[in-house]
Amino acid sequence: MQPISLSRFLIEQQRLPESPCPAELRLLIETVARACKAISHAISKGALGDVLGSLKSENVQGEVQKKLDVIANDLLLDANEWGGHLAGMASEEMETIHPIPNRYPKGEYLLLFDPIDGSSNVDVDLSVGTIFSVVRAPEACAGREVVEADFLQPGRNQVAAGYAIYGPQTLLVLTIGAGVYEFTLEREIGSWRLTDGPMRIPTGTREFAINMARRPQWSPAVARYVEDRLLGSAGPCGHDYNMRWTASMVADVHRILKRGGVFLYPADHRTPGKARLRLLYEANPMSLLIEQAGGASSDGSAAILDIDPVSLHQRVGVVMGDKEEVAALHRP
Ligand code: F6P
Ligand code: MN
């Protein structure tokens, strides 16, 4: 028998008593998933579709934009603007928020996304992804246009989060706050099929992911954590470890959901507030997925999901994955 489709999965969730998935949220997730299919299609054309390489523009983070960053951002905006389930959107690629234009009906949700995570990988044919997060618009914004402050909600408020990964297979990994589920894109008929879940992070996997070239930025705690593992069976851990780094958070976190281990992109301990990953559309959605799969996620001292954001593109240090490994980093 064929695995069930994303639509059927969401409708069955909607029918549950105390459903975590009201109809509007289902429509929103299906719309995001549809945009991810279009992104997957664009990526797979590569040089033949003239989608590789960079533009002359920079995004708000001062990063050179890849053609695909802009293509994917536009696909997500266009797909989600008119359906009536959103009050506004925010993206890594846009300086400020995108309220739903007045010509369309407005809904109760806010959507935040990183259209192409790990985009430097696109040109060398390695995995990239789309990360998304959904929160409810605060009640106070009923009847007025949403403003940036409405988006500044702690990750615990997320009602859905997920990513699409464009790799050897195109997958959608999703949580609506009740477990983590993986869907594989069946390209011939354009359907997402349930292929794993509820996913649990395998424990005890001795694998860590970190960019070693950032060593000068590490705090003493992070440096000790990594050095202990590099010593392998001769060191305090008593085991050999493997190291992996794909420079695409989606790919590294996906590996952890499937195979275990830990992912670290610590803040620069020399400069307060300086870090690589963005809280609202990278760290928060990934943290909800990781926690829902039995793992832990921290900024180095406290749970990422409990952080009260102060700005849209705020950055944060990240340690996420196997609970034991995250706890080991916290131990004095
Ligand atoms: O979005 C930021 C990102 O591309 C992540 O996907 C990835 O984990 C990280 O940056 C890679 O950073 P670096 O260039 O330091 O390896
Ligand atoms: Mn990213």
Side-chain angles (χ1 to χ4, degrees), residues 63 92 114 116-120 211 214 245 247-250 252 263 265 276-278 282:
E63 297 162 343
E92 176 178 328
D114 177 357
I116 300 281
D117 174 61
S119 57
S120 64
N211 182 347
R214 301 283 174 265
W245 187 250
S248 157
M249 186 193 201
V250 166
D252 281 316
F263 169 89
Y265 212 126
R276 175 81 165 108
L277 298 172
R278 274 59 52 123
E282 293 182 317

Side-chain angles (χ1 to χ4, degrees), residues 132-174:
F132 64 93
S133 160
V134 184
V135 292
R136 276 202 181 81
E139 271 169 25
C141 74
R144 63 151 169 86
E145 192 159 269
V146 282
V147 294
E148 192 168 305
D150 298 324
F151 288 73
L152 305 182
Q153 303 187 34
R156 295 255 174 245
N157 284 10
Q158 292 172 105
V159 293
Y163 59 80
I165 178 165
Y166 314 107
Q169 304 102 42
T170 289
L171 307 176
L172 182 77
V173 175
L174 172 71

Side-chain angles (χ1 to χ4, degrees), residues 71-264:
I71 293 170
N73 195 62
D74 289 349
L75 284 167
L76 282 157
L77 289 181
D78 290 349
N80 284 287
E81 229 180 23
W82 47 269
H85 40 260
L86 283 178
M89 293 182 256
S91 160
E92 176 178 328
E93 300 303 329
M94 301 186 302
E95 183 163 1
T96 185
I97 60 158
H98 179 90
I100 296 301
N102 284 332
R103 62 183 180 280
Y104 299 123
K106 299 198 181 142
E108 58 177 300
Y109 294 106
L110 303 175
L111 174 67
L112 301 96
F113 49 81
D114 177 357
I116 300 281
D117 174 61
S119 57
S120 64
N121 280 329
V122 161
D123 296 344
V124 291
D125 202 16
L126 291 173
S127 295
V128 293
T130 298
I131 310 176
F132 64 93
S133 160
V134 184
V135 292
R136 276 202 181 81
E139 271 169 25
C141 74
R144 63 151 169 86
E145 192 159 269
V146 282
V147 294
E148 192 168 305
D150 298 324
F151 288 73
L152 305 182
Q153 303 187 34
R156 295 255 174 245
N157 284 10
Q158 292 172 105
V159 293
Y163 59 80
I165 178 165
Y166 314 107
Q169 304 102 42
T170 289
L171 307 176
L172 182 77
V173 175
L174 172 71
T175 183
I176 46 175
V180 178
Y181 293 85
E182 176 204 86
F183 301 83
T184 301
L185 181 60
E186 192 180 11
R187 285 184 189 280
E188 296 72 15
I189 52 173
S191 178
W192 296 99
R193 299 270 173 195
L194 179 64
T195 44
D196 197 5
M199 296 169 82
R200 303 297 295 173
I201 297 175
T203 53
T205 302
R206 297 185 179 109
E207 216 161 60
F208 64 96
I210 194 164
N211 182 347
M212 289 290 286
R214 301 283 174 265
R215 172 77 181 76
Q217 303 179 355
W218 298 348
S219 67
V222 172
R224 202 195 54 231
Y225 173 88
V226 174
E227 275 150 22
D228 285 354
R229 273 141 195 83
L230 292 177
L231 289 170
S233 51
C237 300
H239 302 283
D240 290 339
Y241 275 73
N242 259 334
M243 198 178 72
R244 295 283 183 269
W245 187 250
T246 43
S248 157
M249 186 193 201
V250 166
D252 281 316
V253 169
H254 187 67
R255 188 188 57 253
I256 287 164
L257 282 173
K258 299 294 278 194
R259 199 165 77 189
V262 66
F263 169 89
L264 303 97

